[in-house]
Amino acid sequence: MTSMKRFVDIVPYVLMMGAAVGLSYVADHIVYTAIPDQIGPDRWPKMIIGILFSVCGFEIVRRLFAGAAARDVTSESDDLSASLAMPQTTQPGRVLGTIIVTVAYLFLLDFCGFFSSTIVYSACLMWL
C-alpha cells in the first residue's frame, strides 16, 4: 500500500479526532449545579467523546501499520455488487410483523418499562 493511499485512508479519522477535540471543549463548558454523590450531565458526553477519540486513534494506528497485510478486496466487492444488483424477493409478512412489533413496543414502553420492553422488542426483531 502506498503512502498516499495510507494518508487518504486516515484522513476521516483525523478529522473525527479533531471534531472530538472540539466537542470535548464544548463538553467542558456545560454549566450545571453539582449535586453531591451524583455524576453531572457532562459525564456521558465526555465518556462518548473519549471513546470516539480512542477508536479513531486505534484505527489510525491500525491503518498505518497493518497496511502490509492488506487483503484482496476486489472479489468481495464484486460479490457484494452482484448481490445488490439482483435484490432478493421482498417478504411482506416480515415487514408487516416488524411494523406491528415496533408499534406495540412504543405503546407498551410506558407499562412494561424501558429495559424489559427493549429486550422483548430486540428479540422479536431478531426473530423476524
Side-chain angles (χ1 to χ4, degrees), residues 98-113:
T98 303
I99 292 170
I100 291 170
V101 168
T102 301
V103 171
Y105 169 71
L106 293 174
F107 282 121
L108 295 175
L109 192 61
D110 288 336
F111 299 109
C112 299

Side-chain angles (χ1 to χ4, degrees), residues 70-91:
R71 56 190 168 103
D72 184 23
V73 186
T74 56
S75 63
E76 291 177 15
S77 64
D78 290 342
D79 293 340
L80 178 63
S81 62
S83 68
L84 292 175
M86 305 272 296
Q88 298 178 357
T89 60
T90 59
Q91 298 178 350

